[in-house]
Amino acid sequence: MAAMDVLHKSVSKSLSAIRVVLVETSHPGNIGSAARAMKTMGLTQLYLVNPRGYPSAEATALASGADDVLSAARVCDSLEDALEDCSVCYGVSARQRRLPLPQLVPRVAAEKMVAESRRGEHVAVIFGPERVGLSNSALDLCHSLVTIPANPDYTSLNLSMAVQIIVYEIYQYQYGKSMSDSTTEGCPTSLATARDMDLFYKHLEEVLVQTDFLDPASPKFLLRRCKRMFNRMRPDQNEMNILRGFLTAIQKTIDIRNHV
Ligand code: SAH
């Protein structure tokens, strides 16, 4: 086998842990073009959250030779489902929001994604709908925001072109590193997944209400701030067990007091 083929095989294997998630895409052609963009850069894991008018002949036509990526795409009912086993989530958006996330340019984000996937983390790169971009609640599930620097008077790229730029950077970083450095960083305990975090947030909300810290009638902003804070921590599985144990201990104390 030629050296480049061997290299490409190892590149594809380690990149398979990076998934592209398209949220509520309205133009099926963009889905096909995104699949094509991914395949050219060695990525195969495509997740579609509530796509409009999909499957569609237009998507298949624009996928061109990447119909294998397209036909293997997983269609999900919610972003939470698409991210369930992911421990690192990047939201790709042209706009910073009211509650800021760490903001990265594609090259820096790609470097982090490749390092994380080499450590065995499942990484998600999430793109928003064409018309409105990613919602605040979608961004609440993300650990970082990736923004493609562009003309400040016109920052909005076509969805599949934004996908192409991000996956290009992932591939270039991985390819360059594969030539010179194939070491993997050790990580003693894997990070909490999006599902772990979701269960933790539900538990946290329950306890905040039980302790009257949170008014269930207007929970929104406090909970969002808490999510941002815990997402910044990047807890691993052991730390997540401690946090859940902490909440359970509070609930036990409340139960005992209520029965005295
Ligand atoms: N009108 C929307 C743009 C949506 S474009 C808005 O203002 O957010 C569709 C998707 O392409 C976006 O959700 C984002 O994921 C990606 N995208 C387009 N331009 C981008 C940019 N300059 N930086 C990062 N992502 C971009």
Side-chain angles (χ1 to χ4, degrees), residues 201 205 208 214 219-227:
Y201 291 137
E205 181 174 1
L208 293 180
L214 176 70
K220 287 264 151 59
F221 216 62
L222 175 66
L223 277 176
R224 289 194 56 211
R225 281 204 180 278
C226 289
K227 286 183 181 180

Side-chain angles (χ1 to χ4, degrees), residues 1-105:
M1 200 184 293
M4 283 305 277
D5 290 346
V6 173
L7 177 65
H8 191 82
K9 272 213 154 60
S10 73
V11 164
S12 302
K13 192 163 172 266
S14 59
L15 288 186
S16 64
I18 301 179
R19 78 181 55 163
V20 168
V21 182
L22 304 183
V23 181
E24 289 170 15
T25 309
S26 7
H27 299 294
N30 278 336
I31 298 176
S33 300
R36 182 175 184 171
M38 288 170 62
K39 187 165 178 180
T40 57
M41 299 297 144
L43 290 181
T44 55
Q45 303 289 309
L46 177 60
Y47 284 66
L48 306 172
V49 178
N50 292 327
R52 303 247 174 85
Y54 178 85
S56 108
E58 199 189 347
T60 309
L62 282 161
S64 197
D67 12 7
D68 51 343
V69 173
L70 193 62
S71 55
R74 294 208 211 158
V75 178
C76 304
D77 290 336
S78 69
L79 181 55
E80 283 81 358
D81 282 352
L83 302 181
E84 195 173 70
D85 56 336
C86 291
S87 48
V88 195
C89 306
Y90 291 84
V92 186
S93 168
R95 291 177 291 135
Q96 182 55 278
R97 310 304 170 98
R98 191 165 160 205
L99 285 180
L101 279 171
Q103 196 164 6
L104 306 171
V105 293

Side-chain angles (χ1 to χ4, degrees), residues 156-191:
S156 183
L157 279 77
N158 164 271
L159 170 62
S160 65
M161 294 186 185
V163 172
Q164 183 76 74
I165 285 178
I166 304 293
V167 296
Y168 165 83
E169 292 292 0
I170 293 171
Y171 186 78
Q172 302 313 310
Y173 188 77
Q174 170 76 19
Y175 181 83
K177 280 292 190 187
S178 296
M179 300 287 262
S180 57
D181 170 19
S182 59
T183 58
T184 51
E185 292 173 51
C187 182
T189 314
S190 36
L191 295 173

Side-chain angles (χ1 to χ4, degrees), residues 23 79-80 83 89 91 101 126 133-142 228:
V23 181
L79 181 55
E80 283 81 358
L83 302 181
C89 306
L101 279 171
I126 308 157
L134 284 174
S135 65
N136 284 331
S137 62
L139 286 170
D140 285 346
L141 301 173
C142 299
R228 294 288 167 115

